[in-house]
Amino acid sequence: MADSSKDIQLHELKDMINDLKKMIKTLQATVDAANKREESLTQERDNLKEEIDLLRKKLFGTSSEKRTLDIPGQLNFFNEAELEQNPEAVKAEDLEAILPEKTAKKRKARATDAERFKGVPVEKKYLELSEEEKLCPSCGTPLKEIGEEFVRRELVFVPAKLKVYEYYSKNYECPQCKLQDIPVIKKGKDGRAHMLYGMASAGTVAWVMYQKFCNGLPYYRQEKDWKQYGVEITRATMANWVLRNSEAFFLPMYEYFHRKLLERGFAMADETPLQVLHEPERRAQTKSYMWLFRSGEDGGPPIILYKYSETRAGDNAVDFLHGFKGYLMCDGYSGYNKVPDVKRTACWAHIRRYLTDAIPKGKALDYTQPSVQGMLYINQLFHLEDVIRSKYSSFDAIKKARLEKEKPVVEGFLSWLDQQIPIRGSRMDKAVTYIQNRRSYLSTYLEDGRCSFSNNLSENAIRPFTVGRKNWLFCDTPNGAQASAIVYTMVEMAKANGVNVYHYLTYLLEKLPDDWMSDDELELLAPWNETVKAEIERRANESNQSYVNCQGAPAAEKQSGIFSIISKN
């Protein structure tokens, strides 16, 4: 019985041990799951902290993406990273050989008054003595003028004024023919018909366009401004002026610029959201888009075109670039992949932006951070690109220099990229994913010296629209949005080709281009045409000179106004 009791007790102990082992396994699994959950929550917390730091940096930090290369130890670290990660990539001694010598940047000299006011007419004002003061206080002899001395310089603003021109034709008849019952009558004509839509001159319509699309002044603010000049012009009237005149007289130029862009071999593109209130079968809150297409850095005259569309679908880019064959620089949006017959080039500025956002707070100089390591490569490429562009003017020379100096750095960057295993969901993970998805486009710019290194030109061209959008907020109708695209095109074309925006808009509204004009005739109205440039410069100089001439005229006769309302009898 005792043995039997011991056997039973032994079996019970064995069962207890098995139960404890199972319990230990269960508790261990619970602990492991808890640790895993804690690790996941910790990582989620760290990711959220990164997001908060990024949002704070975007809200309160500097918006500049420039970073200096002149940091102690940076180049040494760059070389060490190259050696450790891929011996076949650019080597330390090779990198040092291709690095441009550091030269201290000279501080830009302060502009003189002559440089700042270049092109502004100068009128001399003399400070005279009274008749009594022109007599010598000692002997009473009249003083003799011996010269002049500079005292001060003032910049004078002459406000614009409105005038109404009422045109009447003087009629004449032959008195002799009248006696024979054969009346001969002639009427005075100025040789051109007033064809603009609305009771406004070309200069007046151009000024409304200039104020909104160049200075970002909405119609309702212009409406208040017109009242200060003594006339009530409603925002609806101004909108109608812009809508109808741009469609009638700017659209032929717009389509001509479009045809010229498709003939080029290098193009750039970007897009930004736009709100249009009254789109058919769409809510007012839905996003529409304004696209920007422009020519690349191929040495030809710059062409900048805006295009409105209801969606961001890549088919919009396909339709607009139909017939274009060449290199297309754009951001990472996959919709551009639909465009056929083009070679996409990646924007290195966007890649740098993602890596900048991935740098942890306060770790910008911590070279153990993968994001900082990636930034070193990017900064080096930007530095080399600036040096090459400033040194060489030939596209063949630029290509050769890029292959010699930049290609090894690009290969080193790709080798570094392959080594990265970032934590899932982190900012670095997003940066690496973004870069890997565009890996095939990173080296395309090395194929031709005319290829752009970044899409900054497009972003600079679309910035006036985004700045103006903060003021006027939205477009009312699709027709208004397309009219905005057309006028913005004319404004930015004038800026890009170095002509006065207001006078160029006025010039086009006076010449009244139409669909019947050939491309040769439209070419004579393009802002890169030397005759047009000379004419716009002449008008600008005459406008400045008229400000000076009106200074000495009576107040009722001052002709400083650049607007004229035309009344048709």
Side-chain angles (χ1 to χ4, degrees):
M1 294 293 295
D3 293 338
S4 178
S5 175
K6 288 181 180 179
D7 291 340
I8 293 174
Q9 190 176 14
L10 183 61
H11 285 299
E12 289 177 351
L13 290 174
K14 287 182 178 180
D15 292 340
M16 183 182 298
I17 292 173
N18 291 332
D19 292 339
L20 289 175
K21 287 182 178 179
K22 291 180 181 180
M23 185 180 296
I24 291 172
K25 289 182 179 180
T26 303
L27 292 175
Q28 186 63 46
T30 303
V31 171
D32 292 342
N35 290 338
K36 189 174 182 180
R37 183 168 59 253
E38 182 184 4
E39 182 180 353
S40 176
L41 291 174
T42 302
Q43 185 56 51
E44 184 178 357
R45 182 202 62 188
D46 294 341
N47 292 343
L48 291 175
K49 282 184 176 180
E50 284 188 357
E51 292 292 335
I52 292 173
D53 291 338
L54 176 63
L55 293 175
R56 283 178 176 171
K57 182 169 66 173
K58 288 184 178 297
L59 185 60
F60 302 111
T62 177
S63 60
S64 175
E65 297 178 358
K66 289 184 178 180
R67 291 173 61 87
T68 178
L69 281 171
D70 200 11
I71 300 176
Q74 175 168 318
L75 294 181
N76 292 334
F77 176 81
F78 188 97
N79 297 343
E80 291 170 3
E82 292 285 354
L83 288 172
E84 292 176 2
Q85 291 163 9
N86 187 355
E88 296 181 359
V90 57
K91 296 181 180 179
E93 56 271 19
D94 296 333
L95 180 64
E96 290 184 1
I98 67 174
L99 285 176
E101 295 182 0
K102 294 288 186 301
T103 56
K105 289 187 177 181
K106 294 183 179 179
R107 186 174 181 178
K108 187 177 180 180
R110 184 178 178 180
T112 63
D113 288 343
E115 293 173 341
R116 288 190 294 156
F117 303 141
K118 184 180 180 180
V120 179
V122 177
E123 180 184 5
K124 287 187 176 181
K125 295 284 187 179
Y126 292 98
L127 307 178
E128 279 284 5
L129 298 175
S130 64
E131 293 300 328
E132 295 179 356
E133 292 174 332
K134 287 183 179 180
L135 299 178
C136 178
S138 300
C139 62
T141 305
L143 299 179
K144 180 181 179 182
E145 183 179 346
I146 58 175
E148 61 185 45
E149 180 183 0
F150 175 78
V151 178
R152 67 177 183 272
R153 182 179 285 110
E154 292 181 351
L155 180 63
V156 180
F157 172 72
V158 184
K161 292 183 179 296
L162 284 172
K163 297 182 70 174
V164 176
Y165 287 166
E166 294 184 347
Y167 288 85
Y168 297 86
S169 66
K170 287 193 173 182
N171 304 332
Y172 298 86
E173 70 172 355
C174 176
Q176 295 296 330
C177 294
K178 182 179 180 180
L179 297 176
Q180 302 176 10
D181 295 331
I182 306 176
V184 176
I185 299 176
K186 289 188 176 182
K187 297 182 178 182
K189 297 180 181 180
D190 60 359
R192 64 183 182 89
H194 179 65
M195 297 178 63
L196 293 180
Y197 293 96
M199 193 198 72
S201 68
T204 306
V205 177
W207 181 254
V208 172
M209 294 177 174
Y210 175 79
Q211 286 287 74
K212 179 175 180 181
F213 300 101
C214 192
N215 294 337
L217 197 66
Y219 292 139
Y220 78 91
R221 293 184 191 171
Q222 292 193 51
E223 184 178 350
K224 297 177 181 179
D225 200 34
W226 284 110
K227 288 183 179 180
Q228 299 298 317
Y229 295 124
V231 63
E232 293 190 7
I233 301 177
T234 66
R235 64 195 75 176
T237 299
M238 289 182 280
N240 191 52
W241 287 353
V242 173
L243 184 65
R244 300 192 66 181
N245 286 298
S246 62
E247 182 179 0
F249 308 120
F250 285 177
L251 186 57
M253 292 300 301
Y254 178 90
E255 293 174 344
Y256 172 67
F257 294 149
H258 187 195
R259 292 192 293 272
K260 296 294 288 185
L261 176 65
L262 297 180
E263 295 175 0
R264 305 281 278 269
F266 298 84
M268 310 173 77
D270 201 3
E271 72 287 332
T272 188
L274 167 68
Q275 185 178 7
V276 182
L277 297 184
H278 298 101
E279 290 179 312
E281 300 179 358
R282 301 188 80 200
R283 297 172 63 246
Q285 293 80 6
T286 55
K287 279 186 180 181
S288 300
Y289 282 85
M290 186 66 76
W291 298 70
L292 179 131
F293 300 91
R294 62 159 298 151
S295 56
E297 301 175 272
D298 55 359
I303 298 176
I304 300 174
L305 296 170
Y306 286 81
K307 180 187 182 298
Y308 153 76
S309 69
E310 292 184 351
T311 67
R312 198 190 182 196
D315 293 335
N316 294 293
V318 173
D319 293 340
F320 194 86
L321 294 176
H322 179 71
F324 173 78
K325 296 181 180 180
Y327 291 89
L328 177 63
M329 163 60 74
C330 52
D331 57 20
Y333 176 45
S334 59
Y336 293 107
N337 292 334
K338 294 183 178 181
V339 182
D341 302 323
V342 300
K343 284 188 175 181
R344 281 192 59 179
T345 56
C347 174
W348 283 89
H350 280 77
I351 295 173
R352 178 175 64 179
R353 200 167 298 158
Y354 271 79
L355 287 173
T356 301
D357 292 343
I359 298 177
K361 183 179 179 180
K363 301 291 186 179
L365 299 180
D366 185 359
Y367 301 137
T368 63
Q369 295 291 330
S371 52
V372 177
Q373 298 171 12
M375 284 292 296
L376 298 180
Y377 288 95
I378 307 296
N379 291 338
Q380 188 63 23
L381 286 175
F382 270 92
H383 182 63
L384 290 171
E385 186 68 17
D386 290 341
V387 172
I388 292 172
R389 285 282 184 179
S390 62
K391 186 175 182 180
Y392 302 104
S393 57
S394 167
F395 294 122
D396 291 336
I398 291 175
K399 176 184 176 180
K400 182 178 179 181
R402 280 175 170 176
L403 292 175
E404 178 185 350
K405 299 179 183 297
E406 295 184 21
K407 185 178 179 181
V409 182
V410 173
E411 292 174 347
F413 175 76
L414 295 177
S415 176
W416 165 86
L417 185 65
D418 292 334
Q419 305 292 326
Q420 303 309 307
I421 308 177
I423 299 174
R424 186 173 182 180
S426 64
R427 298 295 307 176
M428 188 61 186
D429 181 48
K430 294 180 181 179
V432 170
T433 302
Y434 179 88
I435 300 171
Q436 289 284 16
N437 290 341
R438 288 142 192 89
R439 185 188 184 108
S440 59
Y441 311 135
L442 294 180
S443 302
T444 309
Y445 82 100
L446 298 172
E447 297 178 5
D448 197 300
R450 292 167 291 182
C451 287
S452 298
F453 180 69
S454 71
N455 202 32
N456 286 342
L457 283 180
S458 293
E459 295 191 349
N460 291 338
I462 206 171
R463 186 172 291 114
F465 174 83
T466 58
V467 172
R469 184 182 57 199
K470 293 180 180 180
N471 291 280
W472 44 260
L473 302 179
F474 53 80
C475 291
D476 190 53
T477 64
N479 289 338
Q482 185 57 29
S484 297
I486 294 174
V487 180
Y488 265 115
T489 296
M490 300 303 133
V491 169
E492 294 307 313
M493 284 290 294
K495 288 182 184 178
N497 288 275
V499 299
N500 183 284
V501 176
Y502 165 72
H503 288 293
Y504 182 66
L505 296 177
T506 306
Y507 180 79
L508 289 180
L509 291 172
E510 289 176 352
K511 296 299 182 181
L512 304 177
D514 55 44
D515 295 332
W516 299 101
M517 287 186 174
S518 64
D519 283 359
D520 292 337
E521 293 174 308
L522 294 173
E523 172 70 20
L524 299 178
L525 303 178
W528 57 74
N529 187 281
E530 293 301 326
T531 303
V532 174
K533 285 188 173 183
E535 173 63 17
I536 299 303
E537 184 177 1
R538 182 191 67 79
R539 293 188 180 202
N541 292 335
E542 287 185 355
S543 178
N544 290 335
Q545 190 61 43
S546 68
Y547 290 160
V548 174
N549 294 339
C550 76
Q551 289 281 358
E557 298 179 3
K558 287 188 176 182
Q559 303 293 326
S560 61
I562 55 176
F563 321 125
S564 61
I565 303 295
I566 296 182
S567 176
K568 294 183 287 185
N569 190 16

